[in-house]
Amino acid sequence: MVNSDKLVNILFHIADIIKENKDHLTELDQAIGDGDHGINLDRGFSAVKEHFLSTKDNIPKDLGLILSKTAMILISKVGGASGPLYGTAIMKASNIVSKKEEMNLLDGLNMLEAAIQGIKERGKAEQGDKTMLDTLIPTLTTLKDCINKKLTNDEIKKYVLESAKKGMKSTKEYSANKGRASYLGARSIGHIDPGAKSSYLIIKAIINTID
Ligand code: ADP
Ligand code: MG
């Protein structure tokens, strides 16, 4: 079960892992984009962390409110293509836990599904277009599969992380059809998509923070 304290802790871990990988994400974006992905995301998630640190005696119990605030901060601070996409994803996920003070694995599954739906509606991309969706869609498929098979939490974490990693790495094989990288056409092949990598890091931070 994740309550408001744990959710904020997850957000802090995401902010930390993005900061640690800021230069790496920027390098990936330098190869096939404009080199701002790490800078964009670090600015956004640092602002999220600062917000919840500065209001730490006043954090809502309602998980939906925590995530809708997070989405609004990301939308206003990240910019680029990824700001509105991650912002929409988290806003859609926030609806699933609106008015809830705790969430379980099934809520997590529904949140990921809603987040992906939001990214698809907003960015009109599909799996194989070399975007963050290439990490997130296989993650969702594996999570569903693990829940159906009634695997233990440790097994679920292991398989979900493996699948997110595999999806992220698969972007190396495709040429980009969406976003700035699509201007390069086939020359984008051989490079990992920066958004696929940041989504992997976010999934990893979540997995490493939950019990
Ligand atoms: P920008 O491309 O505006 O500089 P960022 O560098 O912050 O924005 O983010 C780039 C990432 O956004 C890409 O690596 C890709 O994963 C993701 N992206 C771009 N366009 C789309 C889209 N239409 N759908 C899903 N993800 C996208
Ligand atoms: Mg960029």
mmCIF file with all atom_site columns, all heavy atoms in Angstrom, residues 29 34 36-37 180, ligand 2:
data_model
loop_
_atom_site.group_PDB
_atom_site.id
_atom_site.type_symbol
_atom_site.label_atom_id
_atom_site.label_alt_id
_atom_site.label_comp_id
_atom_site.label_asym_id
_atom_site.label_entity_id
_atom_site.label_seq_id
_atom_site.pdbx_PDB_ins_code
_atom_site.Cartn_x
_atom_site.Cartn_y
_atom_site.Cartn_z
_atom_site.occupancy
_atom_site.B_iso_or_equiv
_atom_site.pdbx_formal_charge
_atom_site.auth_seq_id
_atom_site.auth_comp_id
_atom_site.auth_asym_id
_atom_site.auth_atom_id
_atom_site.pdbx_PDB_model_num
ATOM   1  N  N   . ASP A 1 29  ? 19.847 13.142 -25.839 1.00 0.00 ? 29  ASP A N   1
ATOM   2  C  CA  . ASP A 1 29  ? 19.055 14.096 -26.622 1.00 0.00 ? 29  ASP A CA  1
ATOM   3  C  C   . ASP A 1 29  ? 19.945 14.907 -27.574 1.00 0.00 ? 29  ASP A C   1
ATOM   4  O  O   . ASP A 1 29  ? 19.477 15.368 -28.614 1.00 0.00 ? 29  ASP A O   1
ATOM   5  C  CB  . ASP A 1 29  ? 18.270 15.019 -25.675 1.00 0.00 ? 29  ASP A CB  1
ATOM   6  C  CG  . ASP A 1 29  ? 17.112 15.735 -26.377 1.00 0.00 ? 29  ASP A CG  1
ATOM   7  O  OD1 . ASP A 1 29  ? 16.547 15.176 -27.341 1.00 0.00 ? 29  ASP A OD1 1
ATOM   8  O  OD2 . ASP A 1 29  ? 16.773 16.855 -25.960 1.00 0.00 ? 29  ASP A OD2 1
ATOM   9  N  N   . ASP A 1 34  ? 17.659 18.041 -29.419 1.00 0.00 ? 34  ASP A N   1
ATOM   10 C  CA  . ASP A 1 34  ? 18.281 19.345 -29.222 1.00 0.00 ? 34  ASP A CA  1
ATOM   11 C  C   . ASP A 1 34  ? 19.043 19.448 -27.895 1.00 0.00 ? 34  ASP A C   1
ATOM   12 O  O   . ASP A 1 34  ? 19.433 20.548 -27.496 1.00 0.00 ? 34  ASP A O   1
ATOM   13 C  CB  . ASP A 1 34  ? 17.214 20.451 -29.307 1.00 0.00 ? 34  ASP A CB  1
ATOM   14 C  CG  . ASP A 1 34  ? 16.100 20.219 -28.301 1.00 0.00 ? 34  ASP A CG  1
ATOM   15 O  OD1 . ASP A 1 34  ? 16.121 19.163 -27.630 1.00 0.00 ? 34  ASP A OD1 1
ATOM   16 O  OD2 . ASP A 1 34  ? 15.218 21.084 -28.183 1.00 0.00 ? 34  ASP A OD2 1
ATOM   17 N  N   . ASP A 1 36  ? 18.227 18.947 -24.658 1.00 0.00 ? 36  ASP A N   1
ATOM   18 C  CA  . ASP A 1 36  ? 17.689 19.593 -23.448 1.00 0.00 ? 36  ASP A CA  1
ATOM   19 C  C   . ASP A 1 36  ? 16.888 18.647 -22.543 1.00 0.00 ? 36  ASP A C   1
ATOM   20 O  O   . ASP A 1 36  ? 16.381 19.082 -21.510 1.00 0.00 ? 36  ASP A O   1
ATOM   21 C  CB  . ASP A 1 36  ? 16.805 20.800 -23.823 1.00 0.00 ? 36  ASP A CB  1
ATOM   22 C  CG  . ASP A 1 36  ? 15.595 20.400 -24.653 1.00 0.00 ? 36  ASP A CG  1
ATOM   23 O  OD1 . ASP A 1 36  ? 15.484 19.212 -25.014 1.00 0.00 ? 36  ASP A OD1 1
ATOM   24 O  OD2 . ASP A 1 36  ? 14.763 21.282 -24.953 1.00 0.00 ? 36  ASP A OD2 1
ATOM   25 N  N   . HIS A 1 37  ? 16.786 17.362 -22.906 1.00 0.00 ? 37  HIS A N   1
ATOM   26 C  CA  . HIS A 1 37  ? 15.857 16.495 -22.170 1.00 0.00 ? 37  HIS A CA  1
ATOM   27 C  C   . HIS A 1 37  ? 16.203 16.372 -20.677 1.00 0.00 ? 37  HIS A C   1
ATOM   28 O  O   . HIS A 1 37  ? 15.318 16.481 -19.822 1.00 0.00 ? 37  HIS A O   1
ATOM   29 C  CB  . HIS A 1 37  ? 15.779 15.108 -22.825 1.00 0.00 ? 37  HIS A CB  1
ATOM   30 C  CG  . HIS A 1 37  ? 14.678 14.261 -22.275 1.00 0.00 ? 37  HIS A CG  1
ATOM   31 N  ND1 . HIS A 1 37  ? 13.360 14.652 -22.304 1.00 0.00 ? 37  HIS A ND1 1
ATOM   32 C  CD2 . HIS A 1 37  ? 14.691 13.057 -21.655 1.00 0.00 ? 37  HIS A CD2 1
ATOM   33 C  CE1 . HIS A 1 37  ? 12.611 13.715 -21.733 1.00 0.00 ? 37  HIS A CE1 1
ATOM   34 N  NE2 . HIS A 1 37  ? 13.392 12.741 -21.335 1.00 0.00 ? 37  HIS A NE2 1
ATOM   35 N  N   . ARG A 1 180 ? 11.249 15.724 -32.302 1.00 0.00 ? 180 ARG A N   1
ATOM   36 C  CA  . ARG A 1 180 ? 12.417 16.260 -33.019 1.00 0.00 ? 180 ARG A CA  1
ATOM   37 C  C   . ARG A 1 180 ? 13.259 15.191 -33.691 1.00 0.00 ? 180 ARG A C   1
ATOM   38 O  O   . ARG A 1 180 ? 13.814 15.428 -34.775 1.00 0.00 ? 180 ARG A O   1
ATOM   39 C  CB  . ARG A 1 180 ? 13.343 16.963 -32.021 1.00 0.00 ? 180 ARG A CB  1
ATOM   40 C  CG  . ARG A 1 180 ? 12.997 18.364 -31.766 1.00 0.00 ? 180 ARG A CG  1
ATOM   41 C  CD  . ARG A 1 180 ? 13.938 18.944 -30.704 1.00 0.00 ? 180 ARG A CD  1
ATOM   42 N  NE  . ARG A 1 180 ? 13.237 19.941 -29.928 1.00 0.00 ? 180 ARG A NE  1
ATOM   43 C  CZ  . ARG A 1 180 ? 13.017 21.163 -30.357 1.00 0.00 ? 180 ARG A CZ  1
ATOM   44 N  NH1 . ARG A 1 180 ? 13.469 21.561 -31.522 1.00 0.00 ? 180 ARG A NH1 1
ATOM   45 N  NH2 . ARG A 1 180 ? 12.342 22.015 -29.618 1.00 0.00 ? 180 ARG A NH2 1
HETATM 46 MG MG  . MG  B 2 .   ? 14.921 17.910 -26.505 1.00 0.00 ? 2   MG  B MG  1
#
